[in-house]
PDB file of all heavy atoms in Angstrom:
ATOM      1  N   ARG A   1     168.900  27.264 187.648  1.00 56.00           N
ATOM      2  CA  ARG A   1     169.473  28.650 187.533  1.00 56.00           C
ATOM      3  C   ARG A   1     170.751  28.755 188.007  1.00 56.00           C
ATOM      4  O   ARG A   1     170.991  28.161 189.090  1.00 56.00           O
ATOM      5  CB  ARG A   1     168.416  29.631 188.170  1.00 56.00           C
ATOM      6  CG  ARG A   1     167.188  29.788 187.421  1.00 56.00           C
ATOM      7  CD  ARG A   1     166.485  30.959 187.914  1.00 56.00           C
ATOM      8  NE  ARG A   1     166.017  31.750 186.883  1.00 56.00           N
ATOM      9  CZ  ARG A   1     165.021  32.565 186.960  1.00 56.00           C
ATOM     10  NH1 ARG A   1     164.537  32.873 188.158  1.00 56.00           N
ATOM     11  NH2 ARG A   1     164.539  33.308 185.851  1.00 56.00           N
ATOM     12  N   GLN A   2     171.622  29.478 187.325  1.00 57.00           N
ATOM     13  CA  GLN A   2     172.916  29.625 187.823  1.00 57.00           C
ATOM     14  C   GLN A   2     172.945  30.759 188.895  1.00 57.00           C
ATOM     15  O   GLN A   2     172.208  31.790 188.852  1.00 57.00           O
ATOM     16  CB  GLN A   2     173.847  30.154 186.699  1.00 57.00           C
ATOM     17  CG  GLN A   2     174.090  29.060 185.797  1.00 57.00           C
ATOM     18  CD  GLN A   2     175.062  29.661 184.641  1.00 57.00           C
ATOM     19  OE1 GLN A   2     175.341  30.832 184.674  1.00 57.00           O
ATOM     20  NE2 GLN A   2     175.403  28.715 183.677  1.00 57.00           N
ATOM     21  N   GLN A   3     173.609  30.542 189.929  1.00 60.00           N
ATOM     22  CA  GLN A   3     173.718  31.410 191.004  1.00 60.00           C
ATOM     23  C   GLN A   3     174.892  32.465 190.590  1.00 60.00           C
ATOM     24  O   GLN A   3     175.896  32.236 190.080  1.00 60.00           O
ATOM     25  CB  GLN A   3     174.140  30.787 192.446  1.00 60.00           C
ATOM     26  CG  GLN A   3     173.266  29.728 192.900  1.00 60.00           C
ATOM     27  CD  GLN A   3     171.978  30.424 193.295  1.00 60.00           C
ATOM     28  OE1 GLN A   3     171.848  31.583 193.900  1.00 60.00           O
ATOM     29  NE2 GLN A   3     170.855  29.798 193.187  1.00 60.00           N
ATOM     30  N   THR A   4     174.426  33.663 190.668  1.00 62.00           N
ATOM     31  CA  THR A   4     175.316  34.845 190.354  1.00 62.00           C
ATOM     32  C   THR A   4     175.814  35.514 191.585  1.00 62.00           C
ATOM     33  O   THR A   4     175.180  35.566 192.561  1.00 62.00           O
ATOM     34  CB  THR A   4     174.612  35.849 189.354  1.00 62.00           C
ATOM     35  OG1 THR A   4     173.617  36.249 190.000  1.00 62.00           O
ATOM     36  CG2 THR A   4     174.305  35.080 188.144  1.00 62.00           C
ATOM     37  N   SER A   5     177.062  36.067 191.452  1.00 71.00           N
ATOM     38  CA  SER A   5     177.505  36.842 192.447  1.00 71.00           C
ATOM     39  C   SER A   5     176.991  38.272 192.363  1.00 71.00           C
ATOM     40  O   SER A   5     176.405  38.719 191.442  1.00 71.00           O
ATOM     41  CB  SER A   5     179.105  36.891 192.322  1.00 71.00           C
ATOM     42  OG  SER A   5     179.465  37.727 191.320  1.00 71.00           O
ATOM     43  N   GLY A   6     177.160  39.138 193.459  1.00 75.00           N
ATOM     44  CA  GLY A   6     176.673  40.434 193.424  1.00 75.00           C
ATOM     45  C   GLY A   6     177.397  41.301 192.427  1.00 75.00           C
ATOM     46  O   GLY A   6     176.821  42.153 191.691  1.00 75.00           O
ATOM     47  N   GLU A   7     178.601  40.951 192.082  1.00 79.00           N
ATOM     48  CA  GLU A   7     179.415  41.706 191.106  1.00 79.00           C
ATOM     49  C   GLU A   7     178.751  41.411 189.669  1.00 79.00           C
ATOM     50  O   GLU A   7     178.648  42.393 188.893  1.00 79.00           O
ATOM     51  CB  GLU A   7     180.872  41.243 191.035  1.00 79.00           C
ATOM     52  CG  GLU A   7     181.716  41.898 190.077  1.00 79.00           C
ATOM     53  CD  GLU A   7     183.256  41.489 190.186  1.00 79.00           C
ATOM     54  OE1 GLU A   7     183.584  40.926 191.152  1.00 79.00           O
ATOM     55  OE2 GLU A   7     183.913  41.773 189.166  1.00 79.00           O
ATOM     56  N   THR A   8     178.380  40.182 189.439  1.00 78.00           N
ATOM     57  CA  THR A   8     177.859  39.881 188.147  1.00 78.00           C
ATOM     58  C   THR A   8     176.565  40.508 188.002  1.00 78.00           C
ATOM     59  O   THR A   8     176.221  40.996 186.988  1.00 78.00           O
ATOM     60  CB  THR A   8     177.614  38.258 188.012  1.00 78.00           C
ATOM     61  OG1 THR A   8     178.972  37.725 188.220  1.00 78.00           O
ATOM     62  CG2 THR A   8     177.166  37.866 186.659  1.00 78.00           C
ATOM     63  N   ASP A   9     175.709  40.537 189.029  1.00 77.00           N
ATOM     64  CA  ASP A   9     174.518  41.231 189.013  1.00 77.00           C
ATOM     65  C   ASP A   9     174.550  42.677 188.702  1.00 77.00           C
ATOM     66  O   ASP A   9     173.816  43.178 188.019  1.00 77.00           O
ATOM     67  CB  ASP A   9     173.650  40.974 190.413  1.00 77.00           C
ATOM     68  CG  ASP A   9     173.195  39.527 190.534  1.00 77.00           C
ATOM     69  OD1 ASP A   9     173.033  38.859 189.523  1.00 77.00           O
ATOM     70  OD2 ASP A   9     172.951  39.243 191.684  1.00 77.00           O
ATOM     71  N   LEU A  10     175.574  43.249 189.345  1.00 81.00           N
ATOM     72  CA  LEU A  10     175.782  44.669 189.128  1.00 81.00           C
ATOM     73  C   LEU A  10     176.110  44.910 187.642  1.00 81.00           C
ATOM     74  O   LEU A  10     175.643  45.983 187.015  1.00 81.00           O
ATOM     75  CB  LEU A  10     176.824  45.235 189.948  1.00 81.00           C
ATOM     76  CG  LEU A  10     177.055  46.765 190.064  1.00 81.00           C
ATOM     77  CD1 LEU A  10     175.890  47.540 190.312  1.00 81.00           C
ATOM     78  CD2 LEU A  10     178.280  47.102 190.927  1.00 81.00           C
ATOM     79  N   LEU A  11     177.070  44.101 187.167  1.00 80.00           N
ATOM     80  CA  LEU A  11     177.467  44.256 185.724  1.00 80.00           C
ATOM     81  C   LEU A  11     176.339  44.057 184.718  1.00 80.00           C
ATOM     82  O   LEU A  11     176.128  44.700 183.745  1.00 80.00           O
ATOM     83  CB  LEU A  11     178.533  43.280 185.401  1.00 80.00           C
ATOM     84  CG  LEU A  11     179.876  43.660 186.003  1.00 80.00           C
ATOM     85  CD1 LEU A  11     180.903  42.408 185.653  1.00 80.00           C
ATOM     86  CD2 LEU A  11     180.527  44.794 185.297  1.00 80.00           C
ATOM     87  N   ARG A  12     175.514  43.084 185.133  1.00 78.00           N
ATOM     88  CA  ARG A  12     174.381  42.881 184.270  1.00 78.00           C
ATOM     89  C   ARG A  12     173.348  44.038 184.221  1.00 78.00           C
ATOM     90  O   ARG A  12     172.863  44.427 183.184  1.00 78.00           O
ATOM     91  CB  ARG A  12     173.565  41.685 184.824  1.00 78.00           C
ATOM     92  CG  ARG A  12     172.404  41.193 183.866  1.00 78.00           C
ATOM     93  CD  ARG A  12     171.728  40.010 184.438  1.00 78.00           C
ATOM     94  NE  ARG A  12     172.685  38.812 184.475  1.00 78.00           N
ATOM     95  CZ  ARG A  12     172.468  37.679 183.715  1.00 78.00           C
ATOM     96  NH1 ARG A  12     171.496  37.591 182.987  1.00 78.00           N
ATOM     97  NH2 ARG A  12     173.512  36.800 183.765  1.00 78.00           N
ATOM     98  N   GLN A  13     173.117  44.601 185.474  1.00 82.00           N
ATOM     99  CA  GLN A  13     172.197  45.868 185.522  1.00 82.00           C
ATOM    100  C   GLN A  13     172.795  46.935 184.701  1.00 82.00           C
ATOM    101  O   GLN A  13     172.124  47.640 183.913  1.00 82.00           O
ATOM    102  CB  GLN A  13     172.017  46.197 186.947  1.00 82.00           C
ATOM    103  CG  GLN A  13     171.217  45.214 187.701  1.00 82.00           C
ATOM    104  CD  GLN A  13     171.179  45.644 189.273  1.00 82.00           C
ATOM    105  OE1 GLN A  13     171.798  46.437 189.696  1.00 82.00           O
ATOM    106  NE2 GLN A  13     170.366  44.971 189.985  1.00 82.00           N
ATOM    107  N   GLU A  14     174.074  47.193 184.825  1.00 82.00           N
ATOM    108  CA  GLU A  14     174.698  48.222 183.980  1.00 82.00           C
ATOM    109  C   GLU A  14     174.765  48.139 182.663  1.00 82.00           C
ATOM    110  O   GLU A  14     174.297  48.930 181.852  1.00 82.00           O
ATOM    111  CB  GLU A  14     176.184  48.456 184.554  1.00 82.00           C
ATOM    112  CG  GLU A  14     176.368  49.066 185.983  1.00 82.00           C
ATOM    113  CD  GLU A  14     177.821  49.128 186.409  1.00 82.00           C
ATOM    114  OE1 GLU A  14     178.680  48.796 185.606  1.00 82.00           O
ATOM    115  OE2 GLU A  14     178.131  49.325 187.522  1.00 82.00           O
ATOM    116  N   THR A  15     174.937  46.877 182.161  1.00 77.00           N
ATOM    117  CA  THR A  15     174.883  46.566 180.701  1.00 77.00           C
ATOM    118  C   THR A  15     173.515  46.551 180.135  1.00 77.00           C
ATOM    119  O   THR A  15     173.305  46.996 179.048  1.00 77.00           O
ATOM    120  CB  THR A  15     175.608  45.277 180.349  1.00 77.00           C
ATOM    121  OG1 THR A  15     175.052  44.235 181.038  1.00 77.00           O
ATOM    122  CG2 THR A  15     177.045  45.427 180.608  1.00 77.00           C
ATOM    123  N   GLN A  16     172.644  46.170 181.034  1.00 78.00           N
ATOM    124  CA  GLN A  16     171.012  46.322 180.570  1.00 78.00           C
ATOM    125  C   GLN A  16     170.777  47.766 180.277  1.00 78.00           C
ATOM    126  O   GLN A  16     170.086  48.005 179.338  1.00 78.00           O
ATOM    127  CB  GLN A  16     170.224  45.694 181.539  1.00 78.00           C
ATOM    128  CG  GLN A  16     170.103  44.097 181.470  1.00 78.00           C
ATOM    129  CD  GLN A  16     169.283  43.462 182.619  1.00 78.00           C
ATOM    130  OE1 GLN A  16     169.027  44.170 183.551  1.00 78.00           O
ATOM    131  NE2 GLN A  16     168.941  42.269 182.370  1.00 78.00           N
ATOM    132  N   LYS A  17     171.144  48.464 181.248  1.00 82.00           N
ATOM    133  CA  LYS A  17     170.882  49.967 181.106  1.00 82.00           C
ATOM    134  C   LYS A  17     171.579  50.654 179.757  1.00 82.00           C
ATOM    135  O   LYS A  17     170.910  51.330 178.996  1.00 82.00           O
ATOM    136  CB  LYS A  17     171.442  50.821 182.317  1.00 82.00           C
ATOM    137  CG  LYS A  17     171.180  52.261 182.321  1.00 82.00           C
ATOM    138  CD  LYS A  17     171.575  52.951 183.509  1.00 82.00           C
ATOM    139  CE  LYS A  17     171.467  54.366 183.467  1.00 82.00           C
ATOM    140  NZ  LYS A  17     172.181  55.174 184.505  1.00 82.00           N
ATOM    141  N   ILE A  18     172.778  50.273 179.554  1.00 81.00           N
ATOM    142  CA  ILE A  18     173.477  50.630 178.363  1.00 81.00           C
ATOM    143  C   ILE A  18     172.673  50.118 177.016  1.00 81.00           C
ATOM    144  O   ILE A  18     172.591  50.905 176.062  1.00 81.00           O
ATOM    145  CB  ILE A  18     174.914  50.170 178.316  1.00 81.00           C
ATOM    146  CG1 ILE A  18     175.658  50.933 179.468  1.00 81.00           C
ATOM    147  CG2 ILE A  18     175.573  50.425 176.905  1.00 81.00           C
ATOM    148  CD1 ILE A  18     177.091  50.276 179.682  1.00 81.00           C
ATOM    149  N   ALA A  19     172.325  49.003 177.137  1.00 77.00           N
ATOM    150  CA  ALA A  19     171.605  48.355 175.996  1.00 77.00           C
ATOM    151  C   ALA A  19     170.240  49.006 175.808  1.00 77.00           C
ATOM    152  O   ALA A  19     169.837  49.301 174.637  1.00 77.00           O
ATOM    153  CB  ALA A  19     171.298  46.828 176.148  1.00 77.00           C
ATOM    154  N   VAL A  20     169.494  49.209 176.820  1.00 79.00           N
ATOM    155  CA  VAL A  20     168.262  49.995 176.569  1.00 79.00           C
ATOM    156  C   VAL A  20     168.361  51.363 176.147  1.00 79.00           C
ATOM    157  O   VAL A  20     167.650  51.754 175.144  1.00 79.00           O
ATOM    158  CB  VAL A  20     167.501  49.983 178.066  1.00 79.00           C
ATOM    159  CG1 VAL A  20     166.251  50.976 177.940  1.00 79.00           C
ATOM    160  CG2 VAL A  20     167.106  48.591 178.482  1.00 79.00           C
ATOM    161  N   GLU A  21     169.500  51.951 176.473  1.00 83.00           N
ATOM    162  CA  GLU A  21     169.802  53.280 175.932  1.00 83.00           C
ATOM    163  C   GLU A  21     170.122  53.365 174.584  1.00 83.00           C
ATOM    164  O   GLU A  21     169.702  54.138 173.650  1.00 83.00           O
ATOM    165  CB  GLU A  21     170.905  53.994 176.870  1.00 83.00           C
ATOM    166  CG  GLU A  21     170.507  54.466 178.178  1.00 83.00           C
ATOM    167  CD  GLU A  21     171.559  54.962 179.051  1.00 83.00           C
ATOM    168  OE1 GLU A  21     172.780  55.039 178.638  1.00 83.00           O
ATOM    169  OE2 GLU A  21     171.241  55.286 180.232  1.00 83.00           O
ATOM    170  N   ALA A  22     170.986  52.323 174.134  1.00 83.00           N
ATOM    171  CA  ALA A  22     171.323  52.086 172.814  1.00 83.00           C
ATOM    172  C   ALA A  22     170.182  51.773 171.981  1.00 83.00           C
ATOM    173  O   ALA A  22     170.003  52.308 170.881  1.00 83.00           O
ATOM    174  CB  ALA A  22     172.423  51.021 172.645  1.00 83.00           C
ATOM    175  N   LEU A  23     169.252  50.859 172.485  1.00 82.00           N
ATOM    176  CA  LEU A  23     168.108  50.488 171.715  1.00 82.00           C
ATOM    177  C   LEU A  23     167.144  51.668 171.369  1.00 82.00           C
ATOM    178  O   LEU A  23     166.569  51.855 170.341  1.00 82.00           O
ATOM    179  CB  LEU A  23     167.286  49.565 172.572  1.00 82.00           C
ATOM    180  CG  LEU A  23     166.279  48.641 171.886  1.00 82.00           C
ATOM    181  CD1 LEU A  23     166.842  47.880 170.885  1.00 82.00           C
ATOM    182  CD2 LEU A  23     165.644  47.718 172.983  1.00 82.00           C
ATOM    183  N   ALA A  24     167.106  52.782 172.385  1.00 83.00           N
ATOM    184  CA  ALA A  24     166.410  53.836 172.056  1.00 83.00           C
ATOM    185  C   ALA A  24     166.890  54.661 170.955  1.00 83.00           C
ATOM    186  O   ALA A  24     166.123  55.481 170.359  1.00 83.00           O
ATOM    187  CB  ALA A  24     166.297  54.597 173.390  1.00 83.00           C
ATOM    188  N   ARG A  25     168.173  54.672 170.705  1.00 88.00           N
ATOM    189  CA  ARG A  25     168.806  55.363 169.669  1.00 88.00           C
ATOM    190  C   ARG A  25     168.582  54.700 168.198  1.00 88.00           C
ATOM    191  O   ARG A  25     168.930  55.468 167.225  1.00 88.00           O
ATOM    192  CB  ARG A  25     170.244  55.458 169.944  1.00 88.00           C
ATOM    193  CG  ARG A  25     170.474  56.404 171.276  1.00 88.00           C
ATOM    194  CD  ARG A  25     171.922  56.585 171.581  1.00 88.00           C
ATOM    195  NE  ARG A  25     172.885  56.888 170.501  1.00 88.00           N
ATOM    196  CZ  ARG A  25     174.180  56.826 170.700  1.00 88.00           C
ATOM    197  NH1 ARG A  25     174.703  56.415 171.756  1.00 88.00           N
ATOM    198  NH2 ARG A  25     175.007  57.175 169.686  1.00 88.00           N
ATOM    199  N   LEU A  26     168.090  53.613 168.152  1.00 87.00           N
ATOM    200  CA  LEU A  26     167.863  52.860 166.864  1.00 87.00           C
ATOM    201  C   LEU A  26     166.636  53.506 166.156  1.00 87.00           C
ATOM    202  O   LEU A  26     165.715  53.942 166.802  1.00 87.00           O
ATOM    203  CB  LEU A  26     167.621  51.365 166.946  1.00 87.00           C
ATOM    204  CG  LEU A  26     168.844  50.547 167.412  1.00 87.00           C
ATOM    205  CD1 LEU A  26     168.376  49.102 167.579  1.00 87.00           C
ATOM    206  CD2 LEU A  26     170.030  50.682 166.415  1.00 87.00           C
ATOM    207  N   PRO A  27     166.612  53.509 164.799  1.00 89.00           N
ATOM    208  CA  PRO A  27     165.399  53.890 163.979  1.00 89.00           C
ATOM    209  C   PRO A  27     164.231  53.015 164.410  1.00 89.00           C
ATOM    210  O   PRO A  27     164.521  51.690 164.797  1.00 89.00           O
ATOM    211  CB  PRO A  27     165.734  53.696 162.687  1.00 89.00           C
ATOM    212  CG  PRO A  27     167.249  53.623 162.566  1.00 89.00           C
ATOM    213  CD  PRO A  27     167.774  53.178 163.917  1.00 89.00           C
ATOM    214  N   LYS A  28     163.023  53.400 164.335  1.00 87.00           N
ATOM    215  CA  LYS A  28     161.892  52.653 164.746  1.00 87.00           C
ATOM    216  C   LYS A  28     161.808  51.295 164.071  1.00 87.00           C
ATOM    217  O   LYS A  28     161.479  50.301 164.764  1.00 87.00           O
ATOM    218  CB  LYS A  28     160.632  53.420 164.339  1.00 87.00           C
ATOM    219  CG  LYS A  28     159.306  52.743 164.761  1.00 87.00           C
ATOM    220  CD  LYS A  28     158.140  53.486 164.455  1.00 87.00           C
ATOM    221  CE  LYS A  28     156.856  52.692 164.863  1.00 87.00           C
ATOM    222  NZ  LYS A  28     155.698  53.007 164.035  1.00 87.00           N
ATOM    223  N   SER A  29     162.125  51.166 162.845  1.00 88.00           N
ATOM    224  CA  SER A  29     162.007  49.965 162.057  1.00 88.00           C
ATOM    225  C   SER A  29     162.968  48.899 162.657  1.00 88.00           C
ATOM    226  O   SER A  29     162.671  47.720 162.615  1.00 88.00           O
ATOM    227  CB  SER A  29     162.136  50.152 160.583  1.00 88.00           C
ATOM    228  OG  SER A  29     163.491  50.676 160.311  1.00 88.00           O
ATOM    229  N   LEU A  30     164.203  49.207 162.894  1.00 88.00           N
ATOM    230  CA  LEU A  30     165.197  48.339 163.668  1.00 88.00           C
ATOM    231  C   LEU A  30     164.818  48.095 165.063  1.00 88.00           C
ATOM    232  O   LEU A  30     165.001  46.882 165.449  1.00 88.00           O
ATOM    233  CB  LEU A  30     166.453  48.975 163.427  1.00 88.00           C
ATOM    234  CG  LEU A  30     167.014  49.125 162.041  1.00 88.00           C
ATOM    235  CD1 LEU A  30     168.409  49.798 162.110  1.00 88.00           C
ATOM    236  CD2 LEU A  30     166.901  48.014 161.036  1.00 88.00           C
ATOM    237  N   LYS A  31     164.392  49.063 165.739  1.00 85.00           N
ATOM    238  CA  LYS A  31     164.013  48.860 167.129  1.00 85.00           C
ATOM    239  C   LYS A  31     162.966  47.860 167.278  1.00 85.00           C
ATOM    240  O   LYS A  31     162.897  46.914 168.099  1.00 85.00           O
ATOM    241  CB  LYS A  31     163.653  50.136 167.712  1.00 85.00           C
ATOM    242  CG  LYS A  31     163.458  50.013 169.350  1.00 85.00           C
ATOM    243  CD  LYS A  31     162.995  51.381 169.931  1.00 85.00           C
ATOM    244  CE  LYS A  31     163.138  52.694 169.263  1.00 85.00           C
ATOM    245  NZ  LYS A  31     162.724  53.738 169.984  1.00 85.00           N
ATOM    246  N   GLU A  32     161.931  47.820 166.459  1.00 85.00           N
ATOM    247  CA  GLU A  32     160.894  47.043 166.420  1.00 85.00           C
ATOM    248  C   GLU A  32     161.165  45.569 166.398  1.00 85.00           C
ATOM    249  O   GLU A  32     160.696  44.722 167.191  1.00 85.00           O
ATOM    250  CB  GLU A  32     159.819  47.231 165.388  1.00 85.00           C
ATOM    251  CG  GLU A  32     158.996  48.462 165.514  1.00 85.00           C
ATOM    252  CD  GLU A  32     158.136  48.851 164.358  1.00 85.00           C
ATOM    253  OE1 GLU A  32     158.509  48.427 163.134  1.00 85.00           O
ATOM    254  OE2 GLU A  32     157.008  49.446 164.508  1.00 85.00           O
ATOM    255  N   VAL A  33     162.060  45.159 165.341  1.00 87.00           N
ATOM    256  CA  VAL A  33     162.406  43.829 165.280  1.00 87.00           C
ATOM    257  C   VAL A  33     163.191  43.253 166.466  1.00 87.00           C
ATOM    258  O   VAL A  33     163.088  42.162 166.870  1.00 87.00           O
ATOM    259  CB  VAL A  33     163.320  43.582 163.982  1.00 87.00           C
ATOM    260  CG1 VAL A  33     162.282  43.702 162.735  1.00 87.00           C
ATOM    261  CG2 VAL A  33     164.468  44.354 163.880  1.00 87.00           C
ATOM    262  N   ILE A  34     164.079  44.129 166.911  1.00 85.00           N
ATOM    263  CA  ILE A  34     165.035  43.708 168.169  1.00 85.00           C
ATOM    264  C   ILE A  34     164.038  43.441 169.311  1.00 85.00           C
ATOM    265  O   ILE A  34     164.080  42.528 170.010  1.00 85.00           O
ATOM    266  CB  ILE A  34     166.017  44.770 168.545  1.00 85.00           C
ATOM    267  CG1 ILE A  34     167.115  44.831 167.514  1.00 85.00           C
ATOM    268  CG2 ILE A  34     166.486  44.583 169.877  1.00 85.00           C
ATOM    269  CD1 ILE A  34     168.063  43.583 167.529  1.00 85.00           C
ATOM    270  N   ILE A  35     162.958  44.468 169.598  1.00 82.00           N
ATOM    271  CA  ILE A  35     162.133  44.273 170.821  1.00 82.00           C
ATOM    272  C   ILE A  35     161.182  42.946 170.527  1.00 82.00           C
ATOM    273  O   ILE A  35     161.106  42.203 171.515  1.00 82.00           O
ATOM    274  CB  ILE A  35     161.282  45.565 170.889  1.00 82.00           C
ATOM    275  CG1 ILE A  35     162.148  46.636 171.390  1.00 82.00           C
ATOM    276  CG2 ILE A  35     160.234  45.287 171.954  1.00 82.00           C
ATOM    277  CD1 ILE A  35     161.498  48.007 171.428  1.00 82.00           C
ATOM    278  N   LEU A  36     160.740  42.766 169.403  1.00 86.00           N
ATOM    279  CA  LEU A  36     159.973  41.562 169.282  1.00 86.00           C
ATOM    280  C   LEU A  36     160.593  40.309 169.365  1.00 86.00           C
ATOM    281  O   LEU A  36     160.124  39.305 169.821  1.00 86.00           O
ATOM    282  CB  LEU A  36     159.232  41.647 167.854  1.00 86.00           C
ATOM    283  CG  LEU A  36     158.025  42.690 167.771  1.00 86.00           C
ATOM    284  CD1 LEU A  36     157.566  42.843 166.243  1.00 86.00           C
ATOM    285  CD2 LEU A  36     156.972  42.421 168.725  1.00 86.00           C
ATOM    286  N   ARG A  37     161.947  40.324 168.894  1.00 85.00           N
ATOM    287  CA  ARG A  37     162.697  39.137 169.032  1.00 85.00           C
ATOM    288  C   ARG A  37     163.240  38.917 170.375  1.00 85.00           C
ATOM    289  O   ARG A  37     163.205  37.687 170.999  1.00 85.00           O
ATOM    290  CB  ARG A  37     163.942  39.271 168.082  1.00 85.00           C
ATOM    291  CG  ARG A  37     164.892  38.028 168.134  1.00 85.00           C
ATOM    292  CD  ARG A  37     164.334  36.850 167.339  1.00 85.00           C
ATOM    293  NE  ARG A  37     165.128  35.764 167.642  1.00 85.00           N
ATOM    294  CZ  ARG A  37     164.808  34.606 168.251  1.00 85.00           C
ATOM    295  NH1 ARG A  37     163.598  34.328 168.622  1.00 85.00           N
ATOM    296  NH2 ARG A  37     165.699  33.539 168.423  1.00 85.00           N
ATOM    297  N   GLU A  38     163.912  39.939 171.052  1.00 80.00           N
ATOM    298  CA  GLU A  38     164.518  39.641 172.370  1.00 80.00           C
ATOM    299  C   GLU A  38     163.599  39.724 173.594  1.00 80.00           C
ATOM    300  O   GLU A  38     163.734  38.976 174.386  1.00 80.00           O
ATOM    301  CB  GLU A  38     165.626  40.777 172.600  1.00 80.00           C
ATOM    302  CG  GLU A  38     166.733  40.617 171.494  1.00 80.00           C
ATOM    303  CD  GLU A  38     167.473  39.293 171.449  1.00 80.00           C
ATOM    304  OE1 GLU A  38     167.635  38.703 172.549  1.00 80.00           O
ATOM    305  OE2 GLU A  38     167.988  38.986 170.360  1.00 80.00           O
ATOM    306  N   TYR A  39     162.628  40.534 173.415  1.00 75.00           N
ATOM    307  CA  TYR A  39     161.701  40.705 174.615  1.00 75.00           C
ATOM    308  C   TYR A  39     160.329  39.915 174.325  1.00 75.00           C
ATOM    309  O   TYR A  39     159.784  39.468 175.325  1.00 75.00           O
ATOM    310  CB  TYR A  39     161.334  42.228 174.858  1.00 75.00           C
ATOM    311  CG  TYR A  39     162.622  42.997 175.260  1.00 75.00           C
ATOM    312  CD1 TYR A  39     163.256  43.936 174.433  1.00 75.00           C
ATOM    313  CD2 TYR A  39     163.115  42.897 176.546  1.00 75.00           C
ATOM    314  CE1 TYR A  39     164.225  44.615 174.920  1.00 75.00           C
ATOM    315  CE2 TYR A  39     164.186  43.574 176.980  1.00 75.00           C
ATOM    316  CZ  TYR A  39     164.784  44.459 176.207  1.00 75.00           C
ATOM    317  OH  TYR A  39     165.887  45.190 176.489  1.00 75.00           O
ATOM    318  N   GLY A  40     159.915  39.873 173.185  1.00 77.00           N
ATOM    319  CA  GLY A  40     158.689  39.172 172.840  1.00 77.00           C
ATOM    320  C   GLY A  40     158.929  37.789 172.541  1.00 77.00           C
ATOM    321  O   GLY A  40     157.958  36.836 172.387  1.00 77.00           O
ATOM    322  N   ASP A  41     160.195  37.392 172.308  1.00 81.00           N
ATOM    323  CA  ASP A  41     160.552  35.965 172.122  1.00 81.00           C
ATOM    324  C   ASP A  41     159.865  35.434 170.895  1.00 81.00           C
ATOM    325  O   ASP A  41     159.425  34.269 170.814  1.00 81.00           O
ATOM    326  CB  ASP A  41     160.322  35.114 173.289  1.00 81.00           C
ATOM    327  CG  ASP A  41     161.228  33.952 173.265  1.00 81.00           C
ATOM    328  OD1 ASP A  41     162.298  33.941 172.660  1.00 81.00           O
ATOM    329  OD2 ASP A  41     160.760  32.850 173.914  1.00 81.00           O
TER     330      ASP A  41
END
């Protein structure tokens, strides 16, 4: 595992929040495929 700096961790947390909010704005049919692919692997 790569060691990350505090700054990278903060940026990651912020962008994850942005991504989750953007995901919530997608139509259900598109949101399902993204969730199953990215989170369900």
Side-chain angles (χ1 to χ4, degrees):
R1 285 199 138 153
Q2 293 180 352
Q3 297 295 325
T4 58
S5 68
E7 182 181 341
T8 305
D9 289 338
L10 183 61
L11 285 172
R12 183 179 301 244
Q13 288 172 356
E14 288 176 6
T15 57
Q16 282 176 340
K17 183 180 176 190
I18 293 168
V20 169
E21 290 170 358
L23 197 57
R25 294 174 51 191
L26 290 178
K28 181 182 176 206
S29 63
L30 300 181
K31 186 184 336 183
E32 288 174 332
V33 294
I34 287 286
I35 288 172
L36 290 173
R37 177 72 186 124
E38 298 298 330
Y39 295 106
D41 205 27

